Amino acid sequence: MVPRYLIDFDIRNMNTIKTEVCIIGSGIAGLYTALQIAEHHEVTMICKEGLTESNTNYAQGGIAAVITKKDSTALHRQDTLIAGAGLCSHEAVNILVNEGPEGVYELIRYGTQFDKEGGKLALTQEGAHSRRRILHARGDSTGAEIVRALSERVRENRRIDILEHHFAIDLVTVEDQCVGVIVENSHGEQSFIQSNATILATGGAGQLYRYTTNPPVATGDGIAMSYRAGAQIKDVEFIQFHPTSLCYPGAPRFLISEAVRGEGAVLRNVNGERFMENYHPQLELAPRDVVARAIVSEIEKTESTFVYLDITHESEELIKHRFPTIYEVCLEYGLNMVTDWIPVAPAAHYMMGGVKTGLWGETSVPRLFACGEVSCTGVHGANRLASNSLSEAIVFGSRIAQRVKELEPLNVDTSHLSYSIMREGQPDEHILEKRLKLQKMMVRQVGLKRDEKNLSKALKEMERQMKQYNSQPTHLAEYEYLNLLTCALLTAKAALLREESRGGHYREDFPNRDDVIWRKHIIQSITDGVMEERGTYDD
């Protein structure tokens, strides 16, 4: 059993900081939401590392929004629903496609400089989009440009207090409502931040897997801490593996943007054969889950460890102008995109599920909200459409800001809060080894292709590791491992229960999609166990 809190504590022994709104995380979801809320409230931002370190900072492709007459919200909606494989919330998708364009213009007002062509915003196309609707910045550095602009505005804002290098250990609840969070700074000093509203913007859990495009901070902290606090966790069996990450000796699993295929790159196996025509009519622009599994199939057939991404038929000018960052990184490892085929393989990239929210970012725990990848708004269904993640963050961040304005002030005495259980000493000293073992197990048994035997084996091992929860963790590596283990358990359990294949979840023993039985959602709660939820679908 997962305990309610990771640590024993007594608020009387901690420094208490009172704030109107506490935001945990500083990617686009945290930064944008902070700026929106700061128009009316004082905000305290909790950053695990520096203010600019987040998944957003590494986002390359861009942000999807309908901004030309050649496009329409109806088409964007249709593309999103198709990619989501029958599990998208239609209400949430309608909100995304209709409110997204205004959010993009708000980003521009905040100082984001998107690329332009001929004086107009430049647009590109990505997999499963029927139109060119992806705005980008500095070629393939969209996320970094958005973070630059927003973080500068956040630092300038006197209503926003930034606590960098602070780890959020646990959400604190009183009478089932969230009243704040316990944090620890880099010196091991713990504080209680009491707030009228708490917003999770902690990103995803890419570090569940040995190979991921996510930075080291993506350890599923928000999902794990909200689960312990009683929030409902939804759709976490759906993990998106990006089809094309750099796979080369000595190089990191660096993301090779979907936009490279959008600009004409083709996939070839190690024999030089183009193969996507054997898997999907949209070829290289098929949905990500289709492309990723096709690559794995070709890797298995050819007994290799990668396939090639070939854009050598395009001009040197286009490649260097459109993908300057990718070009430079490849060059560091002796690969020239202009003349060389780039070795790539899938890597964990995005979690479609997360903390279940309503249409205003509210979770099942009063005064607790979630925004960005940590949340499950229902927009992505079983498979996120490329570049919808940044759009989702600004749309629902704005909605959370509106809802926070309506909250009554917190009227709870927290001065005597404490928690203590029987702890059995310190965690295992080899915690980093355990983390690596968990990551490798997730790749082999809860990865791109799954089956009952491997999922059951993984769950059994995870449950064996549950004894780690009974220890008294004392530093960051231990907190992160326990959060990863929590997310792994939730993911493996949901994957074992869903006996079909859909979107980012593929079962070799149940290879077909089953709309009769499985057009529903798996929800997990620490208090209510496993539940099922059916949506209202009109397609």
Side-chain angles (χ1 to χ4, degrees), residues 71-143:
D71 197 2
S72 72
T73 55
L75 284 172
H76 190 183
R77 176 182 185 273
Q78 177 180 304
D79 294 344
T80 300
L81 294 177
I82 291 172
L87 282 189
C88 295
S89 160
H90 287 232
E91 288 180 293
V93 173
N94 287 338
I95 288 167
L96 176 82
V97 301
N98 285 293
E99 298 180 14
E102 175 55 31
V104 165
Y105 290 118
E106 184 77 341
L107 284 177
I108 294 171
R109 286 191 286 272
Y110 283 144
T112 305
Q113 297 177 19
F114 290 109
D115 292 342
K116 293 185 176 181
E117 291 176 357
K120 295 181 179 180
L121 288 169
L123 300 174
T124 190
Q125 188 162 0
E126 292 185 352
H129 283 273
S130 58
R131 294 289 187 274
R132 296 179 77 91
R133 65 169 70 96
I134 316 301
L135 294 89
H136 47 84
R138 287 187 271 150
D140 54 2
S141 297
T142 309

Side-chain angles (χ1 to χ4, degrees), residues 137-367:
R138 287 187 271 150
D140 54 2
S141 297
T142 309
E145 169 59 18
I146 291 173
V147 167
R148 179 205 62 77
L150 296 183
S151 62
E152 286 178 5
R153 294 294 292 268
V154 163
R155 287 196 187 280
E156 294 167 358
N157 196 306
R158 293 184 178 180
R159 284 179 177 261
I160 302 174
D161 186 26
I162 306 164
L163 298 181
E164 295 180 288
H165 304 286
H166 279 66
F167 184 83
I169 300 174
D170 260 312
L171 300 166
V172 178
T173 53
V174 175
E175 297 174 356
D176 295 328
Q177 68 175 336
C178 185
V179 298
V181 60
I182 294 172
V183 301
E184 182 174 297
N185 66 18
S186 56
H187 303 294
E189 300 163 339
Q190 294 176 355
S191 302
F192 170 55
I193 300 179
Q194 180 181 313
S195 57
N196 197 45
T198 302
I199 300 161
L200 293 170
T202 52
Q207 291 296 325
L208 276 175
Y209 293 88
R210 180 72 182 90
Y211 304 112
T212 178
T213 62
N214 292 186
V217 294
T219 52
D221 305 319
I223 291 172
M225 76 172 80
S226 60
Y227 176 72
R228 292 192 293 271
Q232 294 180 350
I233 309 300
K234 178 178 176 181
D235 287 350
V236 286
E237 67 269 37
F238 297 111
I239 305 285
Q240 186 171 86
F241 290 81
H242 198 288
T244 53
S245 71
L246 183 62
C247 183
Y248 196 69
R253 281 303 182 101
F254 179 75
L255 177 67
I256 307 294
S257 172
E258 186 129 2
V260 178
R261 281 175 285 133
E263 294 293 349
V266 299
L267 289 163
R268 302 182 185 278
N269 61 26
V270 291
N271 298 323
E273 302 159 338
R274 189 176 178 184
F275 57 83
M276 278 308 300
E277 63 184 18
N278 301 324
Y279 296 93
H280 198 278
Q282 286 181 281
L283 305 176
E284 281 79 9
L285 295 183
R288 284 180 174 175
D289 62 301
V290 175
V291 179
R293 284 196 299 274
I295 289 173
V296 169
S297 294
E298 290 298 312
I299 286 172
E300 290 172 349
K301 283 180 185 176
T302 58
E303 298 182 343
S304 61
T305 56
F306 58 86
V307 297
Y308 289 112
L309 188 65
D310 173 16
I311 195 171
T312 57
H313 50 280
E314 297 292 346
S315 70
E316 181 174 355
E317 181 183 13
L318 181 145
I319 293 170
K320 289 183 176 180
H321 172 72
R322 185 65 184 84
F323 307 111
T325 305
I326 299 173
Y327 176 80
E328 289 294 334
V329 170
C330 287
L331 213 56
E332 286 178 26
Y333 296 96
L335 298 167
N336 189 333
M337 290 177 70
V338 177
T339 57
D340 299 329
W341 295 353
I342 308 302
V344 295
H349 184 59
Y350 192 90
M351 180 176 269
M352 269 71 74
V355 185
K356 180 188 175 186
T357 73
L359 299 176
W360 297 90
E362 72 278 19
T363 73
S364 57
V365 176
R367 297 183 183 272

